[in-house]
């Protein structure tokens, strides 16, 4: 039997008492000393509902016995009971009686409640992204008239959520944030998130954060070897920059959004990587050109403080981490809507810096990691061709690029996110 709460189609103001159900079940009277065995051997026969006790005191007040509540589909004639239960009852002569259980709002899931409220009971909008204490929903139009009650139910049913918000427009391509409305809870947009052994703090209403990108953050950071140098062009609040720095890399991290830049600076201090991360607040193209010029001009090697070891204080401290590459080893461009377009900043970049048409073999060409969207049925070809156009590289030679196109996630039914990892061609630089 699949228990369901009372149906109240069209309810828009939450009345929790309306979802109370009096459920008749069989109560099995057993010796108190047998309770442990019954819960183990008869797990499939015992009533299991959230926040409801399935063992209650004996109605006669006898301390030596308890009443075990069985699933509602089990009758006094033991229909739907397991063979083990039937055997134990016959063997021990345990008595049975009917008992009424009050099933309240707290025992139902968010899915149960919303299916009992919304016009279409076949589905309920219970999915959300959790960012710290914030449940971030993206409700479809047909649910908007029920948004307040949906938010309240989600708030009630999650012990770690204190505010529920709904996205009300698309992401701004400049600052990567979007307008939100509070559906339920106390308005507090300052979120704290833990990811990849780091702590991030930010105002969710002013910056971009997507917890679903955790695996991608981890995947890319794992590519960066200790002592590598990273140029993070659209760094946001630091989901790539901060964990990369904790691994012992040198990171120059930039974001145009002043709120993201402020949070990035805060997160750098919060995670104690100030000596390995240099934050900037510039336009992406300007940052690429300025960062490469300034970085290449610095003397080598660059010494970074070693990664702290949690060991005996008498242990000899590890040596500093040496950064020896003359150019950045990796460039990260995580602005999927338009990042590919920023590849044009690499056209003639090294030529302008060195002033020579002859390539400087001591300058390493970076691997560029560009996040992007595509709706193409040939995603790899589409992404590589778009990269060629931005780089000024011959489109008919796109297969000659030293590149890898990695699938990240499905954004919508007809749009996917990918990461293009591309070795900057010498002919472009």
């Amino acid at each position: 039997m699949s228990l369901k709460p009372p149906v109240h189609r069209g309810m828009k103001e939450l009345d929790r008492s309306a979802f109370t159900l009096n459920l008749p079940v069989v109560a099995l009277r057993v010796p108190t000393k047998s309770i442990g065995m019954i819960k183990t051997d008869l797990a499939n026969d015992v009533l299991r509902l959230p926040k409801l006790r399935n063992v209650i005191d004996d109605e006669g007040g006898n301390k030596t016995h308890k009443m075990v509540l069985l699933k509602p589909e089990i009758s006094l004639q033991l229909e739907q009971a397991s063979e083990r239960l039937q055997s134990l009852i016959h063997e021990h002569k345990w008595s049975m009686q009917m008992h009424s259980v009050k099933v309240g709002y707290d025992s139902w899931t968010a899915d149960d409640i919303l299916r009992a409220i919304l016009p279409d009971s076949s589905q309920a909008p219970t999915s959300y992204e959790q960012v710290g204490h914030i449940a971030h929903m993206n409700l479809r139009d047909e649910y908007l008239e029920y948004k307040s009650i949906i938010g309240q139910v989600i708030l009630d049913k999650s012990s770690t959520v204190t505010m529920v918000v709904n996205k009300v427009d698309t992401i701004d391509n400049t600052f990567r944030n979007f307008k939100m409305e509070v559906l339920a809870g106390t308005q507090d947009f300052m979120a704290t998130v833990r990811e990849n052994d780091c702590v991030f703090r930010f105002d969710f209403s002013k910056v971009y954060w997507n917890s679903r990108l955790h695996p991608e953050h981890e995947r890319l950071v794992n590519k960066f070897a200790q002592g590598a140098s990273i140029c993070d062009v659209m760094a946001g609040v630091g989901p790539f920059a901060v964990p990369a720095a904790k691994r012992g890399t040198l990171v120059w991290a930039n974001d145009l959004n002043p709120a993201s830049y402020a949070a990035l600076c805060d997160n750098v201090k919060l995670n104690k990587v100030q000596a390995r991360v240099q934050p900037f607040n510039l336009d992406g193209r300007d940052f690429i050109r300025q960062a490469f010029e300034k970085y290449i001009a610095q003397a080598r090697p660059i010494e970074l403080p070693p990664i702290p070891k949690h060991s005996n204080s008498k242990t000899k401290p590890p040596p500093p981490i040496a950064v020896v590459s003359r150019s950045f080893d990796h460039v990260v461009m995580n602005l999927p809507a338009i990042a590919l377009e920023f590849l044009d900043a690499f056209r003639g970049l090294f030529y302008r810096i060195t002033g020579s048409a002859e390539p400087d073999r001591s300058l390493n060409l970076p691997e560029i990691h560009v996040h992007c969207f595509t709706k193409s049925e040939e995603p790899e070809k589409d992404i590589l061709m778009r990269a060629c156009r931005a780089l000024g590289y011959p489109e008919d030679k796109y297969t000659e690029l030293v590149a890898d196109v990695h699938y990240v996630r499905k954004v919508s039914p007809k749009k996917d996110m990918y990461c293009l990892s591309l070795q900057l061609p010498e002919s472009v630089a």
Side-chain angles (χ1 to χ4, degrees), residues 130-135 155 160-164 186-193 202:
Q130 187 161 345
V131 181
H133 64 280
I134 303 168
L155 182 68
T160 58
V161 168
T162 60
M163 181 174 73
V164 183
T186 304
Q187 182 167 321
D188 176 14
F189 285 99
M190 285 302 300
T192 300
V193 178
F202 48 83

Side-chain angles (χ1 to χ4, degrees), residues 336 339-341 343 368-391 393 395 398-399 401 403-409 415-422:
L340 279 172
E341 300 170 20
L343 288 173
I368 308 171
H369 309 279
V370 192
H371 290 93
C372 55
F373 297 133
T374 182
K375 296 180 179 180
S376 174
E377 294 182 356
E378 298 181 275
E380 184 169 341
K381 180 179 179 181
D382 172 61
I383 291 167
L384 290 172
M385 294 283 279
R386 288 157 60 195
C388 286
R389 288 194 288 273
L391 289 166
Y393 189 85
E395 291 183 42
Y398 76 92
T399 57
L401 290 171
D404 173 68
V405 179
H406 174 80
Y407 174 80
V408 177
R409 73 183 188 99
K415 183 165 74 171
D416 295 321
M417 179 177 173
Y418 283 83
C419 178
L420 167 65
S421 292
L422 167 78

Side-chain angles (χ1 to χ4, degrees), residues 130-401:
Q130 187 161 345
V131 181
H133 64 280
I134 303 168
H136 170 220
M137 307 192 77
N138 189 8
L139 294 175
R140 298 203 301 265
D141 289 346
E142 61 263 35
Y143 295 126
L144 292 181
E145 64 177 305
Y146 297 96
K147 61 186 180 182
S148 295
I149 196 168
I150 291 171
Q152 189 59 58
V153 171
I154 295 297
L155 182 68
D156 287 347
K157 298 302 178 178
S158 175
S159 60
T160 58
V161 168
T162 60
M163 181 174 73
V164 183
V165 301
N166 183 45
K167 174 182 170 182
V168 295
D169 64 2
T170 57
I171 292 176
D172 178 277
N173 283 342
T174 304
F175 287 162
R176 289 194 295 179
N177 53 11
F178 43 78
K179 292 180 181 178
M180 290 175 282
E181 59 178 339
V182 178
L183 302 184
T186 304
Q187 182 167 321
D188 176 14
F189 285 99
M190 285 302 300
T192 300
V193 178
R194 286 169 173 78
E195 181 181 284
N196 289 332
D197 296 324
C198 300
V199 180
F200 299 93
R201 187 167 56 203
F202 48 83
D203 184 333
F204 187 52
S205 68
K206 296 179 179 179
V207 305
Y208 178 79
W209 180 273
N210 190 333
S211 297
R212 296 185 180 97
L213 291 176
H214 177 193
E216 176 62 8
H217 297 155
E218 185 175 29
R219 181 191 73 88
L220 206 52
V221 168
N222 285 340
K223 285 179 171 285
F224 307 151
Q226 187 176 110
S229 52
I230 317 297
C231 177
D232 193 350
V233 184
M234 298 98 171
V237 302
F240 292 108
V242 173
K246 288 195 79 171
R247 289 173 62 94
T249 70
L250 174 64
V251 185
W252 286 22
N254 172 74
D255 203 275
L256 179 62
N257 181 350
S260 295
Y261 170 73
L264 172 64
C265 294
D266 183 38
N267 292 326
V268 166
K269 294 177 183 176
L270 196 60
N271 291 277
K272 301 179 181 179
V273 290
Q274 301 97 308
R276 302 194 195 104
V277 180
Q278 188 169 343
F280 297 84
N281 181 209
L282 298 169
D283 168 77
R285 289 183 177 88
D286 292 340
F287 173 66
I288 291 169
R289 295 171 183 133
Q290 293 180 30
F292 270 83
E293 183 175 358
K294 291 178 181 178
Y295 182 78
I296 288 172
Q298 291 188 351
R300 297 295 184 278
I302 300 171
E303 290 193 348
L304 303 178
I307 299 173
K309 300 289 185 183
H310 301 287
S311 58
N312 193 304
S313 58
K314 296 180 180 179
T315 304
K316 184 179 179 181
I321 299 169
V323 180
V324 298
S325 54
R326 287 200 58 210
S327 172
F328 287 109
D329 296 299
H330 297 271
V331 177
V332 180
M333 300 169 69
N334 180 31
L335 185 59
I338 56 174
L340 279 172
E341 300 170 20
F342 283 73
L343 288 173
D344 62 6
F346 292 93
R347 293 187 189 185
L349 178 63
F350 283 35
Y351 170 74
R352 286 192 297 272
I353 293 171
T354 64
S356 173
E358 293 297 319
D360 184 345
R361 301 298 181 189
S362 68
L363 287 175
N364 55 293
L365 296 169
E367 185 176 7
I368 308 171
H369 309 279
V370 192
H371 290 93
C372 55
F373 297 133
T374 182
K375 296 180 179 180
S376 174
E377 294 182 356
E378 298 181 275
E380 184 169 341
K381 180 179 179 181
D382 172 61
I383 291 167
L384 290 172
M385 294 283 279
R386 288 157 60 195
C388 286
R389 288 194 288 273
L391 289 166
Y393 189 85
E395 291 183 42
D396 59 349
K397 295 184 178 180
Y398 76 92
T399 57
E400 297 179 15
L401 290 171

Side-chain angles (χ1 to χ4, degrees), residues 84 86-94:
R84 177 62 173 160
Q86 296 180 47
S87 173
L88 287 172
I89 290 174
H90 290 305
E91 178 184 349
H92 298 287
K93 310 299 181 187
W94 291 336

